[in-house]
Amino acid sequence: MKNESGFYLTNQEKQTNKDWRTKDKQRLESEMRKSNAIFFESVIPFLKNKNFDNFICCELEPDETKLKKIDKDWKIDWLTTFEEELVGIAARVSSFNGFTIRKYSRGYQSEYFQIPNLISKKDFPINPDNFYVFQIETTEVNNKKIPTKLHVIKTSSLFSFVKENENKVECFTNRNDGNEFVFVSIEILLSNKIKHWTIDLTKGIQD
């Protein structure tokens, strides 16, 4: 293995890289557990009240299982059923009033590029019309993320809008890991009459 200057890494550099990767993996796993806990505690009760059932978190399944492959290969975090139809969910948690899409992760193309290709494949594991992005908007109180709203949009609608309106969306870089994101605000979706739902998790659904 070589460093950025083209020289082979010393044992110390290799260990430093290994330590960084281990810490980064632990950070990501911690964030994933916290995000899924918010989804489980705040979103699932609401969905159950709307006749959704049979929730499975593919992200938390053991490696090499079929459900974990659905997460890794198809970017589906949760599976549930609604009126006996299988529904896929890409779950996100952030402080933004809108939807975030990861564009680059550690310099590699991420879901911004991947998901449109995946949902167009014939072997996509669910009906693409039943694949949604659930973005949980939070506020921070005493260093704890408190969920305030749930934004929902059909995945194909979100990515089609972004592709056709790249000049209307914002881009930003996460200062914690350097990953790049696209942000689509609720205001932009409203002004362009893109169908989506905003749910106050204490007051119910808003038109």
Side-chain angles (χ1 to χ4, degrees), residues 8 10 19 32 55 62 80 84 97 99 102 105 120 162-163 186 193 202:
Y8 285 98
T10 65
D19 292 344
M32 181 179 69
F55 294 90
T80 182
E84 298 185 358
N97 183 37
F99 297 90
R102 188 168 53 244
S105 177
S120 67
V162 171
K163 183 178 180 180
I186 295 300
K193 299 181 179 179
T202 61

Side-chain angles (χ1 to χ4, degrees), residues 53-113:
D53 202 1
N54 303 312
F55 294 90
I56 299 173
C57 183
C58 301
E59 269 193 322
L60 298 180
E61 290 293 314
D63 288 340
E64 308 308 323
T65 62
K66 289 182 179 180
L67 287 170
K68 185 63 177 180
K69 285 179 68 66
I70 288 177
D71 165 43
K72 286 185 174 181
D73 296 349
W74 301 106
K75 312 304 177 187
I76 298 173
D77 301 321
W78 286 81
L79 288 172
T80 182
T81 55
F82 179 74
E83 296 181 349
E84 298 185 358
E85 285 198 47
L86 193 61
V87 176
I89 297 170
R92 306 287 180 265
V93 177
S94 76
S95 59
F96 294 96
N97 183 37
F99 297 90
T100 56
I101 305 172
R102 188 168 53 244
K103 195 170 187 179
Y104 291 98
S105 177
R106 301 179 185 85
Y108 294 97
Q109 291 184 350
S110 192
E111 58 195 30
Y112 176 89
F113 302 96

Side-chain angles (χ1 to χ4, degrees), residues 149-182:
K149 293 179 182 178
L150 173 65
H151 305 293
V152 180
I153 191 170
K154 188 178 291 187
T155 303
S156 57
S157 297
L158 177 62
F159 281 83
S160 293
F161 175 78
V162 171
K163 183 178 180 180
E164 296 168 4
N165 299 273
E166 291 186 352
N167 61 321
K168 295 182 180 180
V169 300
E170 302 174 39
C171 294
F172 69 94
T173 300
N174 187 324
R175 61 186 179 184
N176 292 323
D177 53 24
N179 291 340
E180 297 180 38
F181 291 82
V182 168

